Amino acid sequence: MAAAKKAVLGPLVGAVDQGTSSTRFLVFNSKTAELLSHHQVEIKQEFPREGWVEQDPKEILQSVYECIEKTCEKLGQLNIDISNIKAIGVSNQRETTVVWDKLTGEPLYNAVVWLDLRTQSTVENLSKRIPGNNNFVKSKTGLPLSTYFSAVKLRWLLDNVRKVQKAVEEDRALFGTIDSWLIWSLTGGANGGVHCTDVTNASRTMLFNIHSLEWDKELCEFFEIPMKVLPNVRSSSEIYGLMKISHSLKAGALEGVPISGCLGDQSAALVGQMCFQDGQAKNTYGTGCFLLCNTGRKCVFSEHGLLTTVAYKLGRDKPVYYALEGSVAIAGAVIRWLRDNLGIIKSSEEIEKLAKEVGTSYGCYFVPAFSGLYAPYWEPSARGIICGLTQFTNKCHIAFAALEAVCFQTREILDAMNRDCGIPLSHLQVDGGMTNNKILMQLQADILYIPVVKPSMPETTALGAAMAAGAAEGVGVWSLEPEDLSAVTMERFEPQINAEESEIRYSTWKKAVMKSVGWVTTQSSESGKNVFIILAALS
């Protein structure tokens, strides 16, 4: 017993990692960055119409309570005293939009998920109003006008959901991304909950000026968003409020613990991977795939379809750091699709077995553009295709092609990043659930033709949120000084094919991408359908 107790001396930090497909609560030792325990719950996604993706905000909140409670139980079984948890960080799926009633704490509609495409006509109408010679949206936010970001989702809710309109008129409505919804709820909700967000999440709304670090009046007017519904913007590492969850007895043990870290999941992974130097980059393989490169204290605007985003601001008086980001909409989601829609695998882990059986896609290419193509194309008209099929093709080849698709999409982003930054990456740091798949990691090294480096503890998103929370002023249990950061053990995957073969496969993939574009016709033929969809959804 004594040995078990001794092993966990020092303060602990918890992290809520609320992703698109699951929620986790993880607890780390702040001195060694060791993961002590965690619990995970899968989250349902609803698809009420083609292209629509929603989640229930209450289910998301409930899953957070459940994960906290189960993790606390597990720590108890390990003889670890949960009163050692000194702070909690939050990391979240970004852009997903929630509007709720501040008097009752009830959501006024489902959360509209970042992948959702219902706002395509909203985007088309708005883009006609941006002067061609002055794209003020991009110059202020670093983002292209796209269905991906929160402002257009909020605009759709204001235009189409009577409950939301009424709550805004009566001054009861609050808007937030998932971090805001969770922090407000965890700090008391309708009884004094704190309505805030951090600079990284704010920078994904299309309403936030990434230079002045404030909500932008001109952008709010352009999207016709009332500023009174927006959360207060804070740094990524400071005390926002204290945990108030007494209704849940076991998790109530964390009552009064400060919530002091908040980062959008991709920024959290950048911090968790210790990419604090200009030019360091990481790629996270989750539902989507996100490659971020730290550009230091300067905004770099991309000429090649990448986003400029806030990387982190680790303290109220600390400088803000920026990143270039390449976003791929569908990565892990393609595995989930093979499992849930096609039924060719029963569990996500099985895909590695299938791919291993054949060791090649045998000329089959899969472009999973289920929500259009994100970076570097920003092509909403694209749809998913599987091509190069022959009588010989079987489910193993399709599984292999799905894994290859994730790697090819990453290569496209890396190429764009190299062109924007002018310094090619010598290796790629990777994290996220899919990195457990060894075939995927080897393929990635082969297709990029540079080594892929993976930390032995893949939960870097949660680690980043924990670091921000533990380092906050008034908590001070986690040092971010380079000499104090624990060395991480890494696994390396070296390229094993020749460069020529890699190039041939890549250029064939690009041919397949071109075939996926232009499937959805323009608005004229869609508009009638869209109006019908919206009316049907609201009736």
Side-chain angles (χ1 to χ4, degrees):
M1 279 304 180
K5 278 216 158 111
K6 211 159 105 191
V8 289
L9 289 175
L12 311 180
V13 178
V16 173
D17 178 3
Q18 206 299 301
T20 317
S21 48
S22 71
T23 298
R24 295 196 271 280
F25 183 68
L26 307 91
V27 173
F28 296 91
N29 179 333
S30 68
K31 295 290 173 249
T32 61
E34 179 197 355
L35 174 59
L36 299 175
S37 186
H38 73 289
H39 188 76
Q40 175 168 349
V41 173
E42 200 169 289
I43 298 285
K44 280 202 291 292
Q45 293 179 26
E46 295 169 31
F47 307 98
R49 297 274 179 280
E50 189 196 344
W52 292 29
V53 191
E54 297 180 1
Q55 289 177 329
D56 176 355
K58 289 172 82 171
E59 186 198 339
I60 290 176
L61 181 60
Q62 207 38 57
S63 72
V64 170
Y65 288 136
E66 187 184 333
C67 287
I68 290 176
E69 200 155 300
K70 290 281 198 293
T71 306
C72 288
E73 275 173 26
K74 289 177 185 178
L75 289 170
Q77 288 157 9
L78 293 169
N79 246 4
I80 296 169
D81 187 349
I82 56 176
S83 68
N84 281 332
I85 297 175
K86 300 301 180 202
I88 290 170
V90 174
S91 139
N92 57 287
Q93 51 168 315
R94 303 170 303 168
E95 299 95 18
T96 297
T97 298
V98 188
V99 180
W100 67 94
D101 185 320
K102 67 181 174 193
L103 301 182
T104 63
E106 289 294 309
L108 296 165
Y109 191 80
N110 269 346
V112 180
V113 177
W114 56 278
L115 282 165
D116 188 279
L117 292 174
R118 78 188 66 187
T119 52
Q120 193 43 48
S121 55
T122 314
V123 167
E124 284 168 19
N125 295 334
L126 285 166
S127 57
K128 293 186 187 116
R129 291 174 31 208
I130 297 180
N133 57 349
N134 169 24
N135 186 345
F136 67 94
V137 175
K138 186 143 196 233
S139 61
K140 284 169 183 273
T141 65
L143 311 173
L145 192 56
S146 159
T147 57
Y148 180 20
F149 306 107
S150 317
V152 288
K153 300 179 195 299
L154 180 52
R155 184 66 259 147
W156 186 92
L157 290 168
L158 290 166
D159 286 339
N160 295 288
V161 182
R162 183 66 195 121
K163 274 169 85 172
V164 172
Q165 295 161 353
K166 200 164 176 317
V168 170
E169 286 158 18
E170 294 170 8
D171 207 13
R172 290 182 286 111
L174 296 179
F175 150 81
T177 40
I178 296 295
D179 56 307
S180 300
W181 164 241
L182 292 180
I183 291 173
W184 184 82
S185 303
L186 293 171
T187 54
N191 302 314
V194 178
H195 188 217
C196 69
T197 187
D198 89 301
V199 287
T200 66
N201 281 298
S203 78
R204 313 296 292 189
T205 57
M206 247 177 359
L207 300 169
F208 184 71
N209 187 314
I210 60 174
H211 312 286
S212 68
L213 302 185
E214 288 172 336
W215 297 122
D216 190 286
K217 199 161 175 298
E218 190 186 2
L219 289 169
C220 290
E221 280 165 7
F222 176 70
F223 290 105
E224 296 176 50
I225 303 284
M227 291 181 86
K228 64 182 180 183
V229 303
L230 303 178
N232 290 321
V233 184
R234 318 270 287 266
S235 78
S236 315
S237 174
E238 59 178 88
I239 295 176
Y240 312 110
L242 306 180
M243 289 281 275
K244 274 192 207 163
I245 44 173
S246 41
H247 75 278
S248 153
L249 290 174
K250 294 192 189 95
L254 299 184
E255 189 81 14
V257 175
I259 298 180
S260 52
C262 178
L263 289 152
D265 51 10
Q266 304 314 321
S267 287
L270 195 73
V271 171
Q273 284 266 32
M274 326 279 176
C275 293
F276 294 126
Q277 301 298 313
D278 200 337
Q280 281 185 297
K282 67 89 207 168
N283 195 23
T284 299
Y285 299 76
T287 298
C289 217
F290 301 89
L291 211 160
L292 268 71
C293 181
N294 189 333
T295 60
R297 288 158 74 168
K298 59 182 186 297
C299 276
V300 175
F301 281 89
S302 173
E303 302 292 315
H304 302 100
L306 303 179
L307 312 176
T308 306
T309 200
V310 175
Y312 51 81
K313 183 182 193 299
L314 294 173
R316 216 173 304 188
D317 308 322
K318 296 282 196 298
V320 64
Y321 282 74
Y322 295 95
L324 268 179
E325 171 172 339
S327 324
V328 169
I330 303 290
V334 74
I335 316 298
R336 200 170 169 161
W337 182 82
L338 291 175
R339 183 191 75 184
D340 297 348
N341 294 34
L342 290 198
I344 67 172
I345 49 174
K346 287 196 175 61
S347 72
S348 301
E349 292 71 40
E350 253 179 76
I351 192 156
E352 191 169 1
K353 271 211 298 278
L354 286 187
K356 202 171 183 174
E357 261 176 59
V358 285
T360 168
S361 68
Y362 206 77
C364 165
Y365 286 82
F366 190 159
V367 183
F370 301 155
S371 296
L373 287 166
Y374 283 16
Y377 300 99
W378 298 105
E379 187 47 82
S381 71
R383 284 297 174 271
I385 60 166
I386 301 175
C387 53
L389 301 175
T390 67
Q391 283 168 311
F392 182 71
T393 310
N394 64 29
K395 66 180 183 180
C396 298
H397 299 117
I398 290 172
F400 196 96
L403 293 181
E404 256 186 338
V406 175
C407 301
F408 285 131
Q409 291 180 104
T410 299
R411 163 86 193 256
E412 293 196 284
I413 284 170
L414 205 66
D415 284 359
M417 216 161 254
N418 288 340
R419 289 201 293 272
D420 279 327
C421 293
I423 313 160
L425 287 183
S426 57
H427 66 275
L428 182 64
Q429 286 175 234
V430 300
D431 57 77
M434 289 183 85
T435 59
N436 293 327
N437 185 324
K438 291 208 175 349
I439 287 193
L440 178 74
M441 293 295 94
Q442 187 55 54
L443 265 174
Q444 189 67 86
D446 289 346
I447 287 166
L448 296 179
Y449 216 66
I450 57 173
V452 166
V453 181
K454 171 193 168 211
S456 55
M457 201 281 298
E459 300 288 357
T460 45
T461 302
L463 178 61
M467 287 164 67
E473 193 182 328
V475 178
V477 297
W478 206 305
S479 166
L480 298 182
E481 295 306 318
E483 63 274 14
D484 296 329
L485 292 171
S486 323
V488 184
T489 51
M490 298 284 194
E491 190 177 353
R492 270 174 91 87
F493 296 84
E494 301 282 346
Q496 288 178 357
I497 62 171
N498 67 40
E500 194 182 349
E501 191 190 335
S502 183
E503 288 310 313
I504 290 167
R505 274 156 65 176
Y506 183 46
S507 58
T508 315
W509 153 263
K510 291 192 112 148
K511 216 158 73 180
V513 170
M514 290 298 100
K515 298 243 185 299
S516 78
V517 172
W519 283 92
V520 180
T521 50
T522 54
Q523 205 46 47
S524 53
S525 61
E526 289 282 306
S527 54
K529 192 172 108 182
N530 278 357
V531 169
F532 170 72
I533 286 173
I534 288 165
L535 290 173
L538 299 174
S539 60

